[in-house]
Amino acid sequence: MHESIGQIVVSALLANNFVLAMFLGLCPFLGVSGKLDTAFPMGVATTFVMLVASLCAYGLNLLLTSFHLEFLRLISYIVIIASAVQLVEMVLKKYSPGLFRALGIYLPLITTNCAVLGVALFQTAREYDFLQSMAFSFGGGAGFTLALVLMASVRERLQLSDVPAVAQGTALSLMLAGILSLGFMGFAGLGG
Amino acid sequence: MTPAQAKNWDEFMEGIWRQNPVFVMVLGMCPTLAVTVSAVNALSMGLATTFVLIASCFLVSVMRNVIPKEVRIATYIVIIATFVTVVDYVIQAVSLALYDALGAFIQLIVVNCIILGRAEAHASRAAPVPAMINATGMGAGFTIGLLALGVVREILGAGTLFGISLFGASFQPWVIMVLPPGGFFVLGAWLLVFAWWERRKPGADVAEVTQHA
């Protein structure tokens, strides 16, 4: 693996966008993208959890590998992510109560966001070193935020348009996501 | 059928039809869209998830009186992660090609909301046998949903079904269907079909179109 930091960021952000190309984190993508006001903080919080989780997962993987306990990887990653979310929750509650209240229920739900576990698993599978892992999780988180914000903006506009009753709800969101995904395919090959 | 059998049948069919995880509840989207590029992948992913679902629901149900309420979610996740690790190693041993095709999505079964949802909503308050019947139904429903996507995407995107060529060499595959956008489009189309079906039923005029959060 000799990808440069820049390549990894651009690839995770655009060409291999977590949501639109790798199908990670679709539940919050479909669930929280109704309004721009919640979509953006959600993206930022997820990015932050991703960075923390990626950092912990990197250290943990070194530890597990040195003891030949690779079969415990999945279980320990999940526990680490759950703890990271708790940590973020506590820190936010102490230092930024406003943001804490704004995020509300979405914060604990980040634990079951497969994008976060995805970051940890992919960085292990691709044998990224420390800096590459950080770049990957930052790019992935930013890509997640980008997709969420784009989707929320489109859906806010769609509230004003007349959609056939059959297509309302999830079916429409999926079609939209498909079109966005089609657009993101234009980035293919960028960043390697 | 005796009343007990009828009740079990009802539990089983709930996951397949009324509460279908893919088409009605729209849960577990990530694996649904990511692995359904071919019917074989879809089927294996469905079976793997079903196994984890049944095994974890059984264990959760057996231990439901032992697990303290405060740490139940964490306990469920550890139980689920254990079975996923088992599945991960089994698939790797049985078929390396399949393992490479499914990639990280086998391990990502852990965060499939269907499993945690079943453990929390059903298995934590049911006896082991009904819990397993319900889990089997849900797993079957999920597998059917995945197959419905996988079959359509494979036929349109590659012109094959389970690897068997259907249309001969002159077929121009609709490549976009096996690429990420195709996943969104095909699932959206299926949801449209089901919404239309619901509306056609007599007296369904007032029935709200299922909204999902």
Side-chain angles (χ1 to χ4, degrees):
Chain A
M1 283 293 158
H2 294 292
E3 292 171 81
S4 75
I5 304 297
Q7 271 179 337
I8 293 178
V9 173
V10 172
S11 155
L13 176 70
L14 298 173
N16 291 311
N17 186 284
F18 268 36
V19 181
L20 296 169
M22 284 159 69
F23 299 115
L24 292 170
L26 283 180
C27 299
F29 176 66
L30 294 174
V32 200
S33 61
K35 279 202 341 242
L36 201 53
D37 296 345
T38 45
F40 186 67
M42 179 65 183
V44 174
T46 309
T47 309
F48 187 67
V49 173
M50 271 185 193
L51 279 170
V52 176
S54 160
L55 181 73
C56 301
Y58 182 77
L60 192 77
N61 188 38
L62 285 184
L63 197 70
L64 287 180
T65 316
S66 64
F67 287 107
H68 297 289
L69 290 171
E70 284 91 347
F71 61 90
L72 283 178
R73 202 180 272 151
L74 188 58
I75 299 184
S76 27
Y77 278 5
I78 268 286
V79 174
I80 279 231
I81 290 170
S83 337
V85 173
Q86 282 280 279
L87 189 79
V88 171
E89 223 178 320
M90 286 190 311
V91 170
L92 270 186
K93 200 173 181 180
K94 179 106 169 66
Y95 293 105
S96 174
L99 188 58
F100 178 75
R101 272 195 302 277
L103 288 175
I105 178 71
Y106 300 124
L107 210 48
L109 280 182
I110 297 176
T111 311
T112 51
N113 185 336
C114 45
V116 180
L117 185 62
V119 165
L121 291 175
F122 277 115
Q123 77 181 29
T124 315
R126 295 179 188 173
E127 294 172 7
Y128 281 158
D129 66 23
F130 179 71
L131 274 179
Q132 285 176 320
S133 302
M134 288 291 105
F136 182 58
S137 57
F138 176 74
F144 178 75
T145 314
L146 179 68
L148 213 58
V149 166
L150 280 177
M151 186 72 171
S153 319
V154 179
R155 277 179 70 176
E156 275 191 356
R157 294 284 175 97
L158 268 180
Q159 304 249 307
L160 304 172
S161 45
D162 190 20
V163 179
V166 189
Q168 268 165 17
T170 321
L172 183 68
S173 307
L174 283 167
M175 289 298 178
L176 267 181
I179 296 170
L180 275 182
S181 166
L182 212 54
F184 268 72
M185 275 184 60
F187 293 119
L190 201 65
Chain B
M1 267 198 280
T2 65
Q5 273 174 328
K7 194 173 172 298
N8 282 347
W9 182 246
D10 212 41
E11 286 266 5
F12 180 70
M13 286 308 287
E14 185 177 280
I16 294 186
W17 190 248
R18 277 197 317 281
Q19 296 272 318
N20 186 293
V22 177
F23 296 126
V24 181
M25 303 207 290
V26 200
L27 287 176
M29 283 298 97
C30 309
T32 308
L33 294 172
V35 302
T36 51
V37 290
S38 74
V40 177
N41 286 4
L43 186 63
S44 357
M45 186 65 189
L47 293 180
T49 311
T50 307
F51 167 75
V52 177
L53 191 58
I54 297 174
S56 6
C57 278
F58 174 72
L59 201 59
V60 165
S61 171
V62 168
M63 292 171 63
R64 69 186 186 284
N65 297 324
V66 189
I67 302 172
K69 207 169 166 297
E70 295 76 22
V71 293
R72 64 183 195 288
I73 302 285
T75 320
Y76 299 161
I77 292 229
V78 172
I79 291 176
I80 296 168
T82 311
F83 286 114
V84 172
T85 310
V86 172
V87 168
D88 189 51
Y89 277 78
V90 168
I91 294 185
Q92 202 172 356
V94 172
S95 164
L96 201 58
L98 187 64
Y99 184 79
D100 290 335
L102 296 179
F105 279 94
I106 302 172
Q107 304 200 348
L108 284 172
I109 296 177
V110 180
V111 281
N112 191 324
C113 5
I114 298 169
I115 301 177
L116 195 61
R118 276 297 101 185
E120 165 76 2
H122 194 273
S124 62
R125 55 186 76 133
V129 173
M132 275 173 78
I133 292 173
N134 185 280
T136 315
M138 276 289 161
F142 184 63
T143 312
I144 292 171
L146 287 188
L147 262 181
L149 265 114
V151 166
V152 171
R153 288 181 73 185
E154 193 180 339
I155 291 179
L156 294 179
T160 60
L161 185 59
F162 288 102
I164 302 158
S165 176
L166 289 182
F167 306 113
S170 61
F171 179 72
Q172 279 291 320
W174 194 3
V175 181
I176 203 77
M177 282 300 155
V178 289
L179 293 172
F184 288 115
F185 287 140
V186 174
L187 182 59
W190 272 114
L191 289 178
L192 279 181
V193 169
F194 279 105
W196 172 74
W197 178 263
E198 278 295 310
R199 301 208 138 229
R200 274 184 69 235
K201 276 199 275 187
D205 308 333
V206 280
E208 51 174 331
V209 179
T210 359
Q211 290 277 356
H212 302 281

